[in-house]
Amino acid sequence: MALWGGRFSGESSALFKLFNDSLPVDYRLVEQDIQGSVAWAAALVKVGVLTEAEGQDLKAALGALLVEVAEDPQQIIASGAEDIHSFVEQALIDKVGDLGKKLHTGRSRNDQVATDLKLWCKAEGEGISERLTKVRSELIELAKREQQAVMPGYTHLQRAQPVTFAHWALAYVEMLERDISRLDDALSRLNTCPLGCGALAGTAYPIDRYELAASLGFAAPTLNSLDSVSDRDHVVELCSAASISLMHLSRMAEDLIFFNSGEAGFIELADDVTSGSSLMPQKKNPDALELIRGKAGRVYGSLVGILTTMKALPLAYNKDMQEDKEGLFDVMDTWSICLDMTALVLSGLKVKRDNTKAAAQQGYANATELADYLVAKGMPFRQAHHVVGEVVVKAIADGVAIEDMTLTTLQGFADVIEQDVYEILTIESCLNKRDVLGGTAPNQVAAALAAKAR
Ligand code: ARG
């Protein structure tokens, strides 16, 4: 039976019920709905709406319901209730009769659903935060394992300058740290309790909302009833934090897919995160990474979805807002599994150091070094850049690396070049010279790693 039958003489159409019911989605809020109901019952006792004994009975029945739904979650959907709030209320009435009908005094599903969803976001957010931290530590472990590996760094997907593999891994650690702080920030802002705001104007009972908020583990109550029941900023913010995080994960996935390609051959992915081809026996496909890259798209879709649903909604609650959960639940599930998958991929990843080093030595990645060398000999940088450009054209034409050109050939481009040029053209020299905070010099990377590992 619906919670609102009194004003109606006709039945809902089956199509309307199918269209209107949110239970198939919001059944996931069952724990939070029960938790919120226990707190509300206690608040009603404090203002004298319920006796102590009634409060105790409701608490016990809600506790029993929590155990029952944990044992048999199927019963929630099977109930055919309109939404999770209707399910909990009906189940309570089935247990304690008329007393169950008193629980909704002074409460609306509008402040109830807002509270449930924030409780869910808090719990789910903690799980995500742990997973972000786990990926961060897997990256740090990978950087330590592969600290000796050198590879080409790219711009425009062209070999630009050599970097250490650990430097690459630590770049993603920076992104992960911003993701963690963005999530923390969203979680601290949503840590306010809408319960007691009623349908839109505030409850008519003198509830101590500070106490109520604290009893549910919120930092504070919300301060305006109209805003409280119609605010879904937290849904937008979590979808946004997830989108940015998935953007980072998909960039990492893309880097690794490229590193894993036959063309690059820089890494080996573990068997447990790759698949074969049904036709081509030689293949080992980076499916896990491609799916992370692909799932980012669906997460962005949910962000745009909730923004669009909320856009131009008049105050206060409107049923449009029931559309907030499906996308959010999918976003948090997807974010969570993508983080778990990323951690697993990183834990089994091996760098093919000979290949990365050979690649770093090709592609004239030390051309900047030669320009800097000419600058050190007194040539203005712009001129040095031009001269080295000509050197590279000649090297390409001859099919050799810069360091393989004879001194006489090099001196043909600039007579200040001497024997000591060969020393600065080595990979080690290229790396060691980037000895600035944030640079790729091995001692800078070691210091960065030590600071992260602390
Ligand atoms: N299922 C609804 C939702 O998720 C609960 C709130 C219903 N409120 C109402 N006024 N019909 O938004």
Side-chain angles (χ1 to χ4, degrees):
M1 200 183 55
L3 299 175
W4 35 262
R7 192 209 179 286
F8 291 76
S9 42
E11 290 285 307
S12 299
S13 86
L15 178 61
F16 175 76
K17 183 164 167 55
L18 184 71
F19 194 60
N20 185 58
D21 286 2
S22 56
L23 189 69
V25 174
D26 65 21
Y27 72 90
R28 291 181 66 168
L29 298 177
V30 67
E31 252 180 65
Q32 289 74 25
D33 200 72
I34 292 174
Q35 197 190 347
S37 296
V38 169
W40 186 245
L44 289 179
V45 170
K46 293 215 173 85
V47 295
V49 170
L50 297 175
T51 65
E52 286 281 351
E54 286 175 326
Q56 284 310 318
D57 288 351
L58 282 177
K59 190 176 171 186
L62 286 163
L65 181 62
L66 187 60
V67 175
E68 284 166 26
V69 293
E71 277 167 5
D72 174 21
Q74 313 295 346
Q75 64 175 301
I76 306 177
I77 300 280
S79 74
E82 179 186 339
D83 57 22
I84 192 61
H85 325 294
S86 314
F87 167 79
V88 169
E89 184 165 324
Q90 189 56 52
L92 199 58
I93 294 167
D94 292 345
K95 283 187 187 305
V96 296
D98 281 350
L99 173 58
K101 299 180 182 169
K102 291 188 177 179
L103 178 62
H104 210 54
T105 314
R107 185 175 69 166
S108 158
R109 280 186 291 167
N110 298 351
D111 58 346
Q112 192 178 354
V113 72
T115 306
D116 291 1
L117 193 58
K118 279 184 159 183
L119 286 170
W120 187 88
C121 288
K122 274 163 57 113
E124 206 67 14
E126 270 168 38
I128 298 284
S129 187
E130 281 165 22
R131 288 177 166 86
L132 286 166
T133 305
K134 167 82 174 143
V135 173
R136 178 185 177 276
S137 40
E138 285 295 347
L139 276 166
I140 291 171
E141 281 310 307
L142 175 62
K144 280 190 198 153
R145 281 203 307 277
E146 299 292 353
Q147 215 172 334
Q148 303 313 318
V150 179
M151 68 173 192
Y154 293 84
T155 61
H156 316 278
L157 215 47
Q158 302 193 58
R159 288 175 200 159
Q161 290 173 344
V163 294
T164 62
F165 186 82
H167 199 53
W168 173 89
L170 286 172
Y172 286 99
V173 169
E174 294 296 322
M175 296 179 224
L176 260 295
E177 288 178 358
R178 291 196 296 274
D179 292 339
I180 292 169
S181 101
R182 217 173 337 262
L183 174 62
D184 281 356
D185 188 46
L187 291 178
S188 71
R189 203 172 6 262
L190 69 80
N191 199 7
T192 56
C193 181
L195 201 56
C197 286
L200 75 162
T203 187
Y205 297 84
I207 303 284
D208 181 343
R209 293 193 53 231
Y210 283 95
E211 203 175 274
L212 178 59
S215 75
L216 282 169
F218 284 104
T222 55
L223 296 178
N224 178 290
S225 62
L226 289 170
D227 176 52
S228 304
V229 295
S230 61
D231 168 29
R232 294 295 183 273
D233 286 5
H234 41 288
V235 179
V236 176
E237 286 195 40
L238 288 179
C239 290
S240 163
S243 294
I244 296 172
S245 174
L246 261 293
M247 179 262 286
H248 293 151
L249 296 183
S250 78
R251 292 186 75 175
M252 190 198 304
E254 170 60 18
D255 266 351
L256 293 174
I257 290 165
F258 167 62
F259 294 169
N260 181 63
S261 68
E263 278 63 24
F266 288 177
I267 57 168
E268 164 107 44
L269 295 170
D271 285 356
D272 61 356
V273 295
T274 47
S275 78
S277 157
S278 58
L279 179 72
M280 299 163 281
Q282 80 279 19
K283 285 230 168 164
K284 189 169 174 187
N285 299 327
D287 297 46
L289 294 165
E290 291 175 352
L291 281 168
I292 291 166
R293 191 176 59 181
K295 283 171 192 290
R298 218 174 66 235
V299 168
Y300 297 177
S302 295
L303 170 63
V304 175
I306 185 64
L307 281 169
T308 313
T309 295
M310 295 307 294
K311 173 189 172 295
L313 272 194
L315 289 184
Y317 180 84
N318 297 269
K319 197 61 173 264
D320 314 44
M321 291 161 60
Q322 180 167 284
E323 290 294 318
D324 59 357
K325 290 168 212 69
E326 205 168 330
L328 176 69
F329 291 170
D330 182 58
V331 162
M332 298 303 265
D333 290 347
T334 306
W335 196 2
S336 176
I337 198 164
C338 285
L339 287 167
D340 285 346
M341 201 63 236
T342 303
L344 186 61
V345 168
L346 293 173
S347 72
L349 191 153
K350 289 201 181 65
V351 176
K352 296 176 174 168
R353 294 180 200 180
D354 293 343
N355 292 359
T356 55
K357 180 150 190 199
Q361 266 155 343
Q362 296 156 10
Y364 306 100
N366 53 2
T368 315
E369 270 18 76
L370 181 57
D372 285 341
Y373 172 88
L374 294 174
V375 168
K377 299 272 176 182
M379 193 182 281
F381 179 74
R382 207 33 76 205
Q383 190 189 339
H385 185 282
H386 187 81
V387 167
V388 177
E390 291 172 343
V391 171
V392 170
V393 170
K394 166 87 173 138
I396 292 173
D398 294 353
V400 295
I402 301 176
E403 61 272 29
D404 294 334
M405 297 169 96
T406 66
L407 187 57
T408 329
T409 311
L410 288 171
Q411 283 170 339
F413 292 93
D415 52 17
V416 291
I417 299 181
E418 290 167 78
Q419 186 62 35
D420 61 355
V421 75
Y422 294 104
E423 167 55 27
I424 65 102
L425 291 175
T426 63
I427 282 214
E428 290 69 26
S429 167
C430 293
L431 290 173
N432 287 330
K433 281 180 75 183
R434 265 78 206 166
D435 191 7
V436 63
L437 176 67
T440 196
N443 59 329
Q444 287 291 340
V445 173
L449 247 182
K452 298 294 182 196
R454 238 185 270 134

